[in-house]
Amino acid sequence: MLWNEELSETIEYPLGHVRRRDECFDALLTKFHLNLSKSPLRDRSYILAETLISESKLDVITVTDFLKIFSWG
């Protein structure tokens, strides 16, 4: 390639890159639910996601209540 040639390719940034953070949230949430659906926590995946996503819920939940979400016994 010569220095005076123009580039015709578009360079895409991967999901999670600073320039694509807004568009990756839905994909990551879908992946989160998909992976939890295969675990004993599948019934609580939405509660866990809501707690982790909501800053106000995460600020007020006690450690004990947060850990209860992970117990399946």
Side-chain angles (χ1 to χ4, degrees):
M1 179 200 256
L2 299 174
W3 287 104
N4 58 357
E5 287 183 42
E6 288 187 36
L7 294 176
S8 61
E9 292 183 24
T10 302
I11 299 173
E12 301 263 343
Y13 295 97
L15 283 177
H17 189 275
V18 174
R19 294 184 180 186
R20 292 187 68 190
R21 289 274 162 86
D22 293 337
E23 65 184 283
C24 76
F25 184 74
D26 290 334
L28 289 175
L29 191 57
T30 301
K31 184 176 179 179
F32 177 80
H33 287 296
L34 177 67
N35 287 316
L36 277 181
S37 72
K38 301 171 187 172
S39 80
L41 296 173
R42 66 182 156 269
D43 298 335
R44 290 177 230 140
S45 66
Y46 289 98
I47 296 169
L48 183 56
E50 283 181 18
T51 305
L52 292 172
I53 293 167
S54 171
E55 211 172 301
S56 61
K57 288 183 181 181
L58 195 56
D59 283 344
V60 297
I61 193 169
T62 63
V63 172
T64 305
D65 289 339
F66 184 71
L67 291 177
K68 283 180 186 177
I69 298 172
F70 291 95
S71 66
W72 57 81

